[in-house]
Amino acid sequence: MTTFQSGHLPFGHPITPDLLMTPSDQGDVDMDVDFAADRGNWTGKLDFLLSCIGYCVGLGNVWRFPYRAYTNGGGAFLVPYFLMLAICGIPLFFLELSLGQFSSLGPLAVWKISPLFKGAGAAMLLIVGLVAIYYNMIIAYVLFYLFASLTKNLPWEHCGNWWNTELCLEHRGPKDGNGALLLNLSNTVSPSEEYWSRYVLHIQGSQGIGQPGEVRWNLCLCLLLAWVIVFLCILKGVKSSGKVVYFTATFPYLILLMLLVRGVTLPGAWKGIQFYLTPQFHHLLTSKVWIEAALQIFYSLGVGFGGLLTFASYNTFHQNIYRDTFIVTLGNAVTSILAGFAIFSVLGYMSQELGVPVDQVAKAGPGLAFVVYPQAMTMLPLSPFWSFLFFFMLLTLGLDSQFAFLETIVTAVTDEFPYYLRPKKAVFSGLICVAMYLMGLVLTTDGGMYWLVLLDDYSASFGLMVVVITTCLAVTRVYGIQRFCRDIHMMLGFKPGLYFRACWLFLSPATLLALLIYSIIKYQPSEYGSYRFPAWAELLGILMGLLSCLMIPAGMLVAVLREEGSLWERLQQASRPAMDWGPSLEENRTGMYVATLAGSQSPKPLMVHMRKYGGITSFENTAIEVDREIAEEEEESMM
């Protein structure tokens, strides 16, 4: 049998255009080609904006930012917070959106920009997968409390239930003339705390993380419901989740506003707000405050998880992500501050009712959402109504982020194997949800909270920082800051200014590196209440974080082995963008990207665009300018 090399077909043999070939006809040609028409897009510009807002504005805005603010200088905390937003938050947010929109690819396939660093994409997927498993468990807890609020009297309002102990004390009783309780609250436990730990978690049934105990079937069913909701909302990809966010991204603001108005009208509310915002500028002299501000920005915007990159990849090529970056990042910061007012006004009221300082009722994390705030609800008239509203707000806040996590995973894998998986995207999404539900069942056991804490502490800690630093350096140093800015110019019609270039090249990676070193130096073992995790659990957590880091050198090794020549030649070849790197649609490819799209039949896509749409738009003018710029640079290099 005769074999023919490319370019040596027998005379008269009909040539089938690549775009008309079936995968079997293409022989050794890579079938993992991005078919933009099959991939889908947002149905409107607002879909993308609301999805980003919903993704960034999450549970952390409610239960983490207010606590971090009051423990790190109150109002003075806003100084490092907004400074870190400018240095890290906004530039990295824009970088990730630009990568996704320019290429229309997910977190794995986007590394056609420099295949040597594809391991960073794999690390993103590992991190977001682990986070998605435990994040949906938190949504399951919220659903549990949401259903529990549908009663005349809240079940955590009184002692005397089977789950309560002798230490349970309803923090209500005779008061002195100043309104303070005459009861001694030391060595007592509130009904809401025992409801959370002994009824919802049933943590007394576990001997520790190594002996999690039995599965809690009520939690198991709530987790199943959470995964069913997520699956139904991402069933048709961004076309379905893009519509759901019209509700889930906006309705929390309505509830937050209601809680804020109700909170500030309570007696003692000003006491909590004053405690929350009173500036303590001496805190600014400590490194801890600046680190806390950077961490809050880093995690609240969701940079490095791949969600932003995924959402942007479904945009049209010329979507104004520059404007969207500022809307989302500043909107996220304002939401955090407003949430602080809503939370601390109620905590101030609670402080006055109990006759204890505000800092004794304020907590961070799940303790605020499932113990302190529910207890505060019992002190209000119509307590089930306000409790339902609060947990419904948490549900909508959490779901948006979970949509992004799942869409990131599904998009990344389908972009790698589009021919096989895109037609079956709904089935593939369902299989991912089932697999993650099964992996999350350990979180529904009596000791499930221990596993959740371990995942929360290590799945997206130092590993995530390493991924973001690698991405930043790969794009600006290896791919090249000038080339990246030129890509953005082609896409948006202007080049990023000195501010963005300085942040991408120096300020952002340097800040993240300082954060990484600080987190390693200040490492503290995980704990939950008085429980200290055993050494093997700590080691497991550290390995979990290291595994995502190890994906990067592993990806480099694979990329180098695929090339030919000496080690240095292989590194150079693996560092260069793939031949089909660039805009996914032919009419958007100009300059160096002309005719590099797989199956391209036209030597000048710009001309195709002109024939198709007629005339030359401002974006085509920009493309011509970019072409001229590249040609001038090439002439200079040849002289």
Side-chain angles (χ1 to χ4, degrees):
M1 185 176 71
T2 308
T3 57
F4 300 100
Q5 299 298 321
S6 177
H8 297 281
L9 289 169
F11 181 78
H13 187 86
I15 301 174
T16 307
D18 290 345
L19 285 178
L20 302 180
M21 289 183 177
T22 63
S24 59
D25 292 330
Q26 295 185 32
D28 294 330
V29 176
D30 184 14
M31 291 187 293
D32 301 342
V33 176
D34 182 57
F35 301 105
D38 298 333
R39 194 173 186 273
N41 289 95
W42 299 107
T43 54
K45 293 181 180 180
L46 202 56
D47 296 16
F48 165 72
L49 188 61
L50 289 176
S51 294
C52 284
I53 291 172
Y55 170 58
C56 297
V57 178
L59 299 174
N61 296 72
V62 173
W63 73 32
R64 189 166 284 127
F65 175 84
Y67 183 84
R68 276 189 167 158
Y70 101 81
T71 55
N72 290 286
F77 180 72
L78 297 179
V79 175
Y81 179 75
F82 279 103
L83 191 59
M84 289 300 170
L85 177 65
I87 292 174
C88 277
I90 294 172
L92 293 175
F93 196 95
F94 185 48
L95 182 141
E96 196 165 325
L97 290 187
S98 299
L99 272 178
Q101 182 167 304
F102 182 78
S103 63
S104 298
L105 296 172
L108 278 177
V110 77
W111 287 103
K112 289 178 180 179
I113 191 173
S114 183
L116 187 67
F117 296 95
K118 192 170 185 176
M124 273 185 189
L125 285 195
L126 176 63
I127 290 169
V128 83
L130 291 171
V131 171
I133 291 171
Y134 81 80
Y135 201 86
N136 225 27
M137 190 64 229
I138 297 174
I139 294 175
Y141 292 141
V142 171
L143 285 170
F144 192 101
Y145 271 82
L146 193 69
F147 295 137
S149 301
L150 299 174
T151 55
K152 187 176 180 181
N153 296 306
L154 295 174
W156 56 85
E157 188 171 353
H158 302 291
C159 296
N161 302 289
W162 66 261
W163 60 81
N164 293 127
T165 65
E166 295 177 355
L167 295 176
C168 181
L169 177 67
E170 295 177 31
H171 293 166
R172 298 166 180 268
K175 300 183 179 182
D176 61 19
N178 298 320
L181 286 172
L182 297 176
L183 298 171
N184 181 11
L185 299 182
S186 60
N187 299 320
T188 63
V189 183
S190 67
S192 63
E193 190 166 346
E194 288 204 337
Y195 180 81
W196 164 242
S197 63
R198 296 182 60 81
Y199 180 68
V200 179
L201 299 180
H202 199 257
I203 206 161
Q204 70 272 17
S206 169
Q207 300 299 314
I209 191 169
Q211 297 174 292
E214 298 179 356
V215 170
R216 300 276 293 153
W217 289 107
N218 44 13
L219 288 181
C220 189
L221 292 174
C222 284
L223 182 62
L224 178 62
L225 177 60
W227 278 112
V228 169
I229 292 171
V230 170
F231 171 68
L232 292 176
C233 291
I234 67 163
L235 182 60
K236 294 183 179 179
V238 293
K239 290 191 181 300
S240 56
S241 65
K243 294 307 175 190
V244 175
V245 292
Y246 277 80
F247 175 76
T248 57
T250 57
F251 196 66
Y253 285 96
L254 177 62
I255 301 177
L256 189 62
L257 188 62
M258 292 174 67
L259 291 172
L260 177 62
V261 172
R262 182 69 187 105
V264 297
T265 56
L266 291 170
W270 177 246
K271 187 178 179 182
I273 293 171
Q274 189 177 24
F275 191 84
Y276 165 52
L277 282 183
T278 301
Q280 301 168 40
F281 290 105
H282 65 275
H283 280 272
L284 299 182
L285 300 176
T286 62
S287 60
K288 178 177 177 291
V289 174
W290 296 86
I291 296 294
E292 291 283 337
L295 286 172
Q296 179 62 28
I297 287 293
F298 184 68
Y299 288 111
S300 67
L301 290 179
V303 176
F305 288 96
L308 299 172
L309 196 153
T310 300
F311 283 162
S313 72
Y314 290 104
N315 280 341
T316 55
F317 189 68
H318 299 303
Q319 166 85 4
N320 191 352
I321 49 173
Y322 182 77
R323 174 202 59 203
D324 295 343
T325 294
F326 286 96
I327 292 174
V328 177
T329 53
L330 295 176
N332 177 65
V334 171
T335 304
S336 296
I337 295 168
L338 282 177
F341 280 105
I343 295 298
F344 270 87
S345 59
V346 175
L347 295 184
Y349 163 71
M350 191 175 172
S351 167
Q352 180 163 305
E353 286 290 298
L354 297 177
V356 297
V358 178
D359 61 353
Q360 289 188 25
V361 293
K363 289 184 179 180
L368 173 66
F370 300 119
V371 177
V372 178
Y373 216 80
Q375 184 185 349
M377 295 297 102
T378 63
M379 300 178 181
L380 297 175
L382 299 175
S383 54
F385 170 73
W386 293 108
S387 178
F388 180 86
L389 279 186
F390 176 71
F391 285 108
F392 193 75
M393 178 183 74
L394 291 187
L395 176 65
T396 51
L397 286 174
L399 282 175
D400 292 328
S401 301
Q402 190 68 4
F403 295 160
F405 296 149
L406 266 292
E407 194 62 55
T408 298
I409 296 168
V410 172
T411 297
V413 181
T414 52
D415 279 352
E416 280 293 291
F417 309 102
Y419 178 75
Y420 300 104
L421 293 180
R422 262 190 207 144
K424 305 177 182 68
K425 192 173 181 180
V427 176
F428 180 63
S429 300
L431 291 174
I432 292 288
C433 290
V434 170
M436 289 197 163
Y437 169 68
L438 294 175
M439 286 188 281
L441 284 178
V442 68
L443 304 176
T444 66
T445 59
D446 296 333
M449 178 52 69
Y450 300 134
W451 284 99
L452 191 146
V453 169
L454 193 71
L455 282 167
D456 186 36
D457 284 351
Y458 292 102
S459 61
S461 54
F462 57 89
L464 186 64
M465 292 184 202
V466 170
V467 168
V468 177
I469 293 169
T470 303
T471 302
C472 206
L473 294 177
V475 171
T476 59
R477 305 285 183 175
V478 179
Y479 182 65
I481 187 72
Q482 293 300 331
R483 189 186 294 182
F484 184 58
C485 289
R486 188 185 294 140
D487 291 345
I488 293 174
H489 186 197
M490 182 188 300
M491 184 169 61
L492 301 182
F494 61 89
K495 285 186 178 181
L498 180 62
Y499 158 65
F500 280 103
R501 292 201 300 272
C503 287
W504 290 335
L505 280 169
F506 307 109
L507 296 177
S508 297
T511 304
L512 290 178
L513 187 61
L515 275 179
L516 179 61
I517 294 169
Y518 180 86
S519 63
I520 293 171
I521 293 173
K522 295 290 184 180
Y523 166 77
Q524 290 182 336
S526 296
E527 57 184 44
Y528 180 71
S530 58
Y531 179 76
R532 301 293 180 270
F533 284 66
W536 67 265
E538 286 297 319
L539 181 61
L540 181 65
I542 293 169
L543 289 175
M544 195 190 305
L546 283 176
L547 185 59
S548 57
C549 298
L550 292 174
M551 289 283 187
I552 298 171
M556 288 179 172
L557 181 63
V558 171
V560 167
L561 290 176
R562 283 180 173 176
E563 303 297 339
E564 295 179 354
S566 66
L567 179 60
W568 177 244
E569 288 171 340
R570 290 180 179 215
L571 281 170
Q572 285 184 311
Q573 291 162 10
S575 300
R576 295 190 189 105
M579 282 297 294
D580 57 344
W581 163 252
S584 64
L585 294 179
E586 195 172 340
E587 59 263 27
N588 293 323
R589 288 182 168 250
T590 60
M592 70 179 76
Y593 300 111
V594 170
T596 57
L597 184 64
S600 175
Q601 302 298 305
S602 168
K604 199 67 178 174
L606 180 56
M607 297 300 107
V608 175
H609 194 294
M610 289 171 64
R611 285 198 301 271
K612 187 175 180 181
Y613 298 104
I616 298 180
T617 67
S618 60
F619 285 111
E620 274 77 59
N621 276 325
T622 298
I624 292 170
E625 288 175 20
V626 172
D627 282 351
R628 189 181 300 116
E629 210 175 284
I630 294 169
E632 289 173 358
E633 287 183 9
E634 287 175 351
E635 286 176 10
E636 288 175 6
S637 63
M638 291 174 67
M639 291 174 64

